[in-house]
Amino acid sequence: MGGKYRITGDRYPRMRRPRNRHRIVFAAIGSALALGVIGWGTLQLIEVFTGGGGSTAHASEDRGACEPQGTPSPSARPLPKPAAITVNVYNATTRGGLAKETADELRKRGFKVGKVGNAPAAYDKKVKGAGVVLGPKAATDGRTDVLGTQLAGAQTRTDARKGQDVDLIIGDGYRKLAAERDARRALAALSQPAPRSSTNC
């Protein structure tokens, strides 16, 4: 063409419409949402027709089976009161006065006190720990256990003695009896053991 419509130069104008990038992005997002909705609907249909809800029920049953059932521990038993326990207090250390001091404190806590003095030769100056709670083998009513709550770290032993008395033999590691509050807590825990789980979870 000539005149004012004549094309000059070596470049020609592009005749196609420029791309709209925003429209492409929106179309991609819409497609992704549509695929997500279709996939979710498919999963719901599969659960409906295959009974997928049963797995939830089984999972709940399994969780319930793994929870403690509150079965009492076989060690739960009535324990004797301190007033029903006669304690002989012996000092196996080189420090004087410990047996009497400890016996007086046990008496205040409700125990009956029997003999008070130096430890027998088998234990005298031979107890390195806090002490030893010694009772007859026939003592199955928990007397040694109840006395043991009064002295943290005490060892519990038995011998062939006759009778119902129990001994508290004070050792080199002894400082004082357990605080009354701690002793009460230990006695309460002894009276009411934690429930035993009935599962192997």
Side-chain angles (χ1 to χ4, degrees), residues 54-67:
S55 61
T56 304
H58 288 305
S60 299
E61 291 177 2
D62 292 340
R63 286 195 301 269
C66 290
E67 294 176 356

Side-chain angles (χ1 to χ4, degrees), residues 17-83:
R17 182 180 301 175
R19 294 180 180 177
N20 190 334
R21 293 185 178 179
H22 294 292
R23 183 176 299 174
I24 294 174
V25 171
F26 289 145
I29 294 174
S31 300
L33 289 176
L35 289 175
V37 171
I38 293 172
W40 179 81
T42 303
L43 289 176
Q44 295 298 316
L45 289 175
I46 291 174
E47 289 185 359
V48 169
F49 288 103
T50 60
S55 61
T56 304
H58 288 305
S60 299
E61 291 177 2
D62 292 340
R63 286 195 301 269
C66 290
E67 294 176 356
Q69 301 300 313
T71 303
S73 171
S75 62
R77 63 189 186 281
L79 296 172
K81 300 294 184 182

